[in-house]
Amino acid sequence: MVKLTRIYTRGGDKGKTSLGNGKRVDKHALRVAAYGAVDEANAAIGIARLQTASLPDADAMLGRIQNDLFDLGADLCTPDDGKDLGYEPLRILDSQVQRLEREIDAMNAELAPLSSFVLPGGTPASAHLHLARTLARRAERAITRLSRREPVSPAALQYVNRLSDHLFVLGRFLNDKGAGDVLWIPGATREAQ
């Protein structure tokens, strides 16, 4: 279990930070950028949860996702370089990806098919989830960039890919099961008013 007694350590004052295996790296390293982007998405989900407190099922899903995102950050923070760490590092599991898929499928079964792209908006909860979705996609781009240079677990890549899908479907679900979606009308603003 993590126990924090001091918040600042001065260890990063020169632009370096420690990974989970103790290795010191630049704070702008690809790995740090990847788990930092995951943290951004998690914070946005926290804001979305301000709008879902009265929706127990949605709020519970988001709470599980927030916990998963800390697992994902821990996974990314500890590179799998084949060295014995003296402990088993926390990794995203296939079961976490599968849970997202089950939840997506259950929500999507109640939604009408889309006839256009959805503009971010609708209910406050949905608008916040769209923002979280875009940050999850940013995290995915950072993680895939990292994966081209260093090992990243396949489950971590799958999880972050499913996450943005989940947030999109949940956003539609909370828009009165899609009835409140704001749809893109291609070229609608081209004509001079």
Side-chain angles (χ1 to χ4, degrees), residues 62-110:
L62 293 173
R64 287 189 296 271
I65 288 168
Q66 283 195 293
N67 200 78
D68 286 349
L69 290 179
F70 263 80
D71 290 355
L72 179 57
D75 185 328
L76 294 169
C77 181
T78 309
D80 186 1
D81 56 12
K83 296 179 184 171
D84 182 21
L85 298 172
Y87 66 93
E88 186 67 34
L90 188 60
R91 300 286 180 218
I92 287 290
L93 301 176
D94 291 336
S95 60
Q96 289 167 293
V97 176
Q98 292 160 3
R99 189 193 72 244
L100 287 182
E101 290 174 348
R102 284 191 308 274
E103 290 174 356
I104 291 167
D105 291 343
M107 289 184 291
N108 205 47
E110 297 189 42

Side-chain angles (χ1 to χ4, degrees), residues 107-115 172 177-179 181:
M107 289 184 291
N108 205 47
E110 297 189 42
L111 301 175
L114 282 169
S115 59
R172 289 196 67 218
K177 295 186 179 176
D181 285 342

Side-chain angles (χ1 to χ4, degrees), residues 2-78:
V2 175
K3 182 177 180 181
L4 301 173
T5 57
R6 285 183 56 186
I7 300 305
Y8 67 91
T9 63
R10 296 187 178 102
D13 289 352
K14 294 182 180 175
K16 297 272 190 183
T17 192
S18 294
L19 297 178
N21 62 3
K23 181 180 177 183
R24 300 285 290 171
V25 297
D26 290 325
K27 287 189 173 189
H28 61 270
L30 290 177
R31 188 166 293 279
V32 178
Y35 65 75
V38 169
D39 194 32
E40 288 178 36
N42 203 345
I45 291 169
I47 292 171
R49 288 187 73 194
L50 296 174
Q51 304 295 325
T52 62
S54 64
L55 306 165
D57 292 342
D59 197 58
M61 282 189 271
L62 293 173
R64 287 189 296 271
I65 288 168
Q66 283 195 293
N67 200 78
D68 286 349
L69 290 179
F70 263 80
D71 290 355
L72 179 57
D75 185 328
L76 294 169
C77 181
T78 309

Side-chain angles (χ1 to χ4, degrees), residues 153-184:
S153 79
L157 287 165
Q158 291 167 1
Y159 186 91
V160 74
N161 186 32
R162 294 307 178 285
L163 174 60
S164 57
D165 296 335
H166 189 290
L167 297 172
F168 175 77
V169 172
L170 181 57
R172 289 196 67 218
F173 194 84
L174 297 182
N175 260 348
D176 193 19
K177 295 186 179 176
D181 285 342
V182 181
L183 298 180
W184 172 51

